[in-house]
Amino acid sequence: MSVQRIEHPLGESYLYTPLACAARPCPLIVVSHTRGRTAADFAASPFVKLYSDAFLARGFAVLISNDAGPRTWGAALGYLGQVHAQVVRRFAWNTRTYAFGLSMGGLAALRSALGGPYPVSGVALLDAHVSLDAALRDPGDASRQNEVAQAYGLANVQTALPPRSDPLELIHDQPDLPVLIAGSPDDGAVPFAANGLALFTQSQSTQSPSAERRLLTLSGPHLGGSHFAPAVVSALADFFAEQERRLLARAKRR
């Protein structure tokens, strides 16, 4: 495996490339971090490493994205596009990109897939925020409200969000997008009913018959230890591997 730092004025990201990419072009998974963290924090995290190692073992290159800072709440699509453009020139890329978002990173992962700067072939979410409106309007965390307002250039928390910015609404525009949602009803930080479960429920009404929309209901607190258990890590990594196999098979039939 090789590791490369991807420089950017708004914070460096980290690209991990498996040895498999030397033999054949590889797909890429972009990992978006939690609130208050950076790509450097995630690169040093033994918990995040469990996921990145599982992705690498399945033949994916992994980009741990800085998402332009610790509290950008999915607003950094320009950063994602610029870093992605650098990254795909650094290894043998097979033109397919996937997204994995944890907590706040769910917004970056989904927004990149729903009209973002590059095509995304599948998304996995762990304890993720998916409703930008809920993050902005929920008075249970005033600092979060202010962070979201600042990230999107809003005058205050009562100001309307920019049009077509909330993934919970945009999911209807992408009926073919494969999505795996993993979360816990016990999550006190990111309410599951208003986020992961709401996304799964809403997407059921408009998804394509061939689309993969999967719900993995966990237990325990927000990003608790059980959410990094081997079975959970394998489930998310296998989801990406399954999507990649399907796309490869489809390409061969053409």
Side-chain angles (χ1 to χ4, degrees):
M1 178 192 72
S2 69
V3 183
Q4 300 179 63
R5 294 188 178 191
I6 310 301
E7 301 292 340
H8 191 282
L10 296 177
E12 64 185 12
S13 297
Y14 297 83
L15 173 66
Y16 298 80
T17 308
L19 293 176
C21 291
R24 54 177 170 74
C26 293
L28 173 69
I29 295 178
V30 179
V31 179
S32 287
H33 62 74
T34 58
R35 178 189 187 188
R37 306 298 292 276
T38 65
D41 295 329
F42 257 36
S45 166
F47 296 104
V48 176
K49 187 175 186 296
L50 296 171
Y51 279 100
S52 59
D53 282 354
F55 301 155
L56 290 163
R58 287 159 176 79
F60 292 87
V62 176
L63 172 67
I64 297 182
S65 171
N66 197 58
D67 293 348
R71 294 177 174 83
T72 49
W73 291 95
L77 294 185
Y79 175 95
L80 281 167
Q82 291 161 16
V83 170
H84 185 273
Q86 285 191 64
V87 162
V88 297
R89 296 194 295 267
R90 301 286 190 95
F91 72 103
W93 179 50
N94 74 357
T95 76
R96 286 185 291 278
T97 299
Y98 299 84
F100 176 40
L102 298 87
S103 193
M104 182 190 77
L107 291 167
L110 277 170
R111 294 195 73 229
S112 71
L114 302 172
Y118 44 80
V120 174
S121 298
V123 177
L125 304 166
L126 180 63
D127 293 351
H129 283 280
V130 305
S131 172
L132 191 56
D133 187 73
L136 176 65
R137 309 300 177 196
D138 182 0
D141 188 335
S143 64
R144 179 176 64 203
Q145 290 181 285
N146 290 329
E147 288 172 12
V148 175
Q150 182 176 0
Y152 287 85
L154 307 180
N156 53 58
V157 299
Q158 283 77 43
T159 305
L161 286 163
R164 298 186 58 78
S165 59
D166 195 329
L168 197 56
E169 298 176 358
L170 297 178
I171 191 67
H172 300 298
D173 296 346
Q174 296 272 3
D176 295 319
L177 178 68
V179 182
L180 185 153
I181 301 159
S184 169
D186 306 320
D187 191 335
V190 182
F192 188 50
N195 287 279
L197 186 59
L199 180 74
F200 180 75
T201 302
Q202 289 197 28
S203 69
Q204 293 296 291
S205 62
T206 55
Q207 76 175 77
S208 163
S210 61
E212 180 88 19
R213 297 282 167 82
R214 194 180 302 176
L215 182 68
L216 180 59
T217 303
L218 308 175
S219 61
H222 185 66
L223 295 177
S226 64
H227 299 192
F228 298 87
V232 179
V233 173
S234 291
L236 270 67
D238 288 342
F239 169 77
F240 285 125
E242 289 167 15
Q243 306 317 311
E244 183 65 10
R245 283 195 294 270
R246 289 180 182 179
L247 290 172
L248 284 171
R250 190 180 304 167
K252 288 179 180 178
R253 290 195 296 267
R254 291 177 181 171

